[in-house]
Amino acid sequence: MAADIAVSAALALVEKVTSFVNKICKSPSYVREALKKARTCLERMDAYLTTSQTRIDQGNQVQLQARVKQVRDVVHYIEDALDEFTIQVPHHSQYTHWYSGMTHCAAHSTAYWKASYRLSSEIEDIITNKIGFLRELDGLTQEGQPTSSTSQQHGGTLTPQVLEDDEIVGFDVPKQKLIEQLMKGDPKCLTISIVGPGGSGKTTIMRNVYDTKKVQRNFNCRAWIDVLRPLNLENVLRTMLSSFDPKGKRQEPEGTINCLIEKLRLLLQKKKFLVVLDNVWCNEDLESIVNALPNGSPGSKILVSTRMSDVASHSSNNYIHDLSRGLSKQHARYLFCKKAFPNNNNNNCPQELEEWVEKFLNRCDGLPSAISAVGADLANKRHSPVEWKKAYESLESWGLSYRDLPSPLRSWEWSYRDLPSQLKSCFLYFSVFPEDYSIKREKLIRLWIAEGFVKRMPQSRKTMEDVAECYLDELVGRNLVSISSKETDGQVRRCRVSNLVHHFIISKPENFLCVLKANHSTTDSGTKIRRLSVQDDNITSGSAYDLNGIRTLLVFGQESSNNSRQFGNVLKHFKFLKVLDLQGAPLKKFPKGVVGLTLLRYLSLRETKIKRVPRSIKKLGFLETLDLKHTLITHLPKEICKLSYLRHLLVHRWDAASKNIQAVVVSSGNIKALQSIQKLSLIEVKKRDNRKLIKALGQLVDLRKLGLQVDLASEEDGRQLCSSIQKMKHLSMLDVRSKSGEVYLYLDHMESPPQYVQRLHLEGLLDTLPRWIPKLDSLSKIALKCSKLNARIEPLEALESLPNLMELDLVDYSKGEVLKFKAGTFKELILVSIEQFDQLREMVIENGAMPKLKKLTISKCCNLESVPKGIEGLTSLDQLCVNGMHTSFIAHLESIANRSRWKIFRRKFSGGCKIVIDGTEQRLNVS
């Protein structure tokens, strides 16, 4: 329910406002009492909501869902009152910290006392007039307290969908491998895991293998256990004994848990057994069951299915079958046609339905249960494009309760209910993005933080960004979120939810958001909206809805916004807005209405054509993220430095002349006041401000990511910059670029560099490679550009022993004629790019160098006429890309493919490693 999410958010807001009020010694007592009442009210509603879901499943759906909606509305009333109070409290931007400014003079402010009185009156009115049912909630809560049997029943009501045996398509290989693993006579009992999202076919494969005669004959006894939540170990042990012991089928085993465990040990001591644990949700449940089992005879096995990646890896490091990728296109189409056209002997699709088959398959994302269910449903419909079009459009209006959900969506109800409230919010948030949309990890995390979803433990050293990263990893591990692309170190770069999961989220009756598309909306007109996602439509189309309480507005597509003036007029009505994302909107001016949005925490104007930011930006005292990347802005006003809550200042512009990104100047201001800042990039340090600004940066000791474009006038400037950087002990990304290609980077003055730098980008002339780089043991990616190191300097010596380096990007880095990767060096390297080495004539890869290299790119090295010597030793190489190379180099590359002495190289390329020349994949004639 989104109601419990709303309660959590409102409680957090109460705590924040209470903390502020308590700092003011002369705050009126009635406002403190109002906040106390609000907290009590919310806690009582929270207690009610924790029990209501079970009761909704068991019956009384309409009445209880209506009551849950009432609760949600009341929570929103309270939230509105608290936010209105925050808006009315005087804002004194001249103070370093927003709250410190308010607390300094709020007690003497008439506006503060008026706001306090109004808040107290509104809370009292809400409790008196809007929740007359509050006492009733307490009775409902007591009546609805779930017993252990109720909970067990609740777990049993959400029965996962199981595919029929004839629906096992495309799983021949994992099925055969699973049978082989079960038949092996391992010396001790081993665990085999199958992991994948709901509907991926885990249970079907296991049941099919479990019932195979060959497998049955291999074991003395077998047991199949459906693991329900919460785990009832006693029931699980009784079921095992009943399955293992024929007498147990006639007489239920008796005794305590310890007694049942002892019976199992005696029964299985000299037997080879197979136990199937279907749908395990956590490591604790798995360990409780496994620890109750004896080792048995050699060859005994435990087969586990789970949606949780950590459960699979915890239980069986070597025997893991991952079904999260789903079926291949070929197998998906075969299964779909088999179900949709059962009376057709060849299961062929009529030509007029080809387009719709592809659309339905795209929706199903390769999940067998979804493909089977949708196909079976279509089999009962007339096979005409008109009927299939109607069926396709009905996918967007699938039911509102679990019982109404079609089976393809029902698979995820288990996973959703198992999520803690903060993860539910994060998971539901994927619905604000269009279908098939891959969101960048860092942007998603910033949005979650701005929405208030991320809770940082008081004594924890983790930042909110770190906590949000853990949230994302958890959702990925639960197979609810898919990784679209990864960084070389395995970190998520982009992620998305599958089309079916997206529909599942949209189908939730929780009023989490309204999606506004052309001629379509997910919410009834007149509904109060808290979050609005405008997709390829105009914001003015939302006039049919109550938008006065809107907190979040994201627009997608060029049609989603008007011009700056019209859009500014619309924003005037959104006084509670906290998240505003206008990325890619056709805006040429900074919308005036934005600076009136006092509560705004997140503002993105990325990829717009705005040229300046007004000085009145200082009014956005709560702003945490300001994203101005890929705009036409060249300067930021000094008032930016008054945004003391700012965590992420992201700004750069594209320069068409240099075909490169350029930094933005921050007018001289008190940049050290940005004490909350986590990421600051890409900022230009002008000559006249060098010493002052560089020194001030040293006070931003909590900075995690720093990007600077510098014009260092002397080595002393470089020394000061190094002094400031080494104070940033938590720095993970450092990007330093010279203003001009003819300016040196004087960076060889750090004795103790930040130890946790993972990404380093240096662009500019270097006398020598800074001596502190080899000390960066955490470094995974380094880019060195326009360094033009003297030919006498060994270019790779300082880099080759970095223990975690995975990506190496060198552009115009050295003037040397030879580039040698020595034997046994760069042991973790996965990607290497060599570009614009104008004097390079020979590249050597000694045996044992770069043993894990997957991709090698060589570009614009005009004097390099032959393929690197020793390239045949790169046995892990998957792709060789060459761009703008000499014709002699290309000819040599093509000729060596047929030489017998290049046997390994030739085998690799003929077996799938790609050669890409100037963007085109080559098909070499390899015999």
Side-chain angles (χ1 to χ4, degrees), residues 627-667:
D627 188 347
L628 301 170
K629 283 188 173 183
H630 297 289
T631 61
L632 302 180
I633 293 171
T634 57
H635 290 74
L636 290 176
K638 63 182 180 181
E639 284 75 14
I640 285 287
C641 299
K642 295 184 178 180
L643 303 177
S644 58
Y645 275 99
L646 200 62
R647 300 180 69 83
H648 304 276
L649 178 55
L650 317 173
V651 56
H652 65 232
R653 59 188 173 85
W654 175 256
D655 184 67
S658 63
K659 295 184 179 180
N660 205 349
I661 61 172
Q662 294 293 320
V664 171
V665 176
V666 178
S667 298

Side-chain angles (χ1 to χ4, degrees), residues 47 50-51 55 140-147 150:
T50 57
T51 61
R55 303 177 73 239
L140 287 169
T141 301
Q142 292 172 2
E143 177 190 339
Q145 287 291 339
T147 62
T150 303

Side-chain angles (χ1 to χ4, degrees), residues 289-307:
I289 300 172
V290 171
N291 290 340
L293 291 167
N295 283 328
S297 295
S300 294
K301 299 290 192 303
I302 301 172
L303 182 56
V304 177
S305 77
T306 180
R307 304 180 186 199

Side-chain angles (χ1 to χ4, degrees), residues 441-567:
R441 180 194 81 255
E442 291 182 318
K443 177 175 180 176
L444 179 65
I445 285 172
R446 291 192 290 266
L447 284 166
W448 281 351
I449 291 172
E451 292 281 358
F453 298 157
V454 181
K455 310 300 179 187
R456 182 175 174 268
M457 299 300 290
Q459 303 302 321
S460 175
R461 293 185 179 182
K462 286 185 175 181
T463 64
M464 286 195 289
E465 288 77 9
D466 294 333
V467 175
E469 191 100 40
C470 293
Y471 288 0
L472 179 57
D473 290 341
E474 178 78 5
L475 290 173
V476 170
R478 289 170 178 258
N479 279 294
L480 290 171
V481 174
S482 304
I483 299 175
S484 303
S485 61
K486 292 183 179 181
E487 304 288 355
T488 49
D489 59 3
Q491 192 177 42
V492 177
R493 179 184 293 150
R494 286 179 174 270
C495 59
R496 62 182 286 265
V497 292
S498 68
N499 293 334
L500 278 176
V501 171
H502 192 271
H503 278 288
F504 168 75
I505 298 172
I506 294 291
S507 75
K508 303 298 290 178
E510 310 199 345
N511 199 31
F512 186 78
L513 89 156
C514 171
V515 177
L516 193 63
K517 298 182 180 180
N519 303 317
H520 174 69
S521 169
T522 59
T523 306
D524 295 332
S525 60
T527 304
K528 290 184 178 181
I529 305 297
R530 306 302 270 193
R531 297 180 181 88
L532 179 62
S533 176
V534 185
Q535 301 172 13
D536 295 315
D537 201 349
N538 197 295
I539 184 63
T540 55
S541 300
S543 57
Y545 307 95
D546 183 352
L547 301 179
N548 290 326
I550 192 170
R551 261 61 177 187
T552 299
L553 173 61
L554 296 93
V555 299
F556 301 90
Q558 290 293 311
E559 299 302 320
S560 299
S561 58
N562 305 28
N563 61 46
S564 301
R565 178 178 296 179
Q566 290 174 319
F567 195 75

Side-chain angles (χ1 to χ4, degrees), residues 409-425:
L409 300 192
R410 205 174 297 174
S411 302
W412 287 283
E413 188 68 20
W414 268 93
S415 299
Y416 176 72
R417 294 193 190 174
D418 189 59
L419 292 172
S421 60
Q422 70 270 21
L423 285 186
K424 282 182 180 176
S425 305

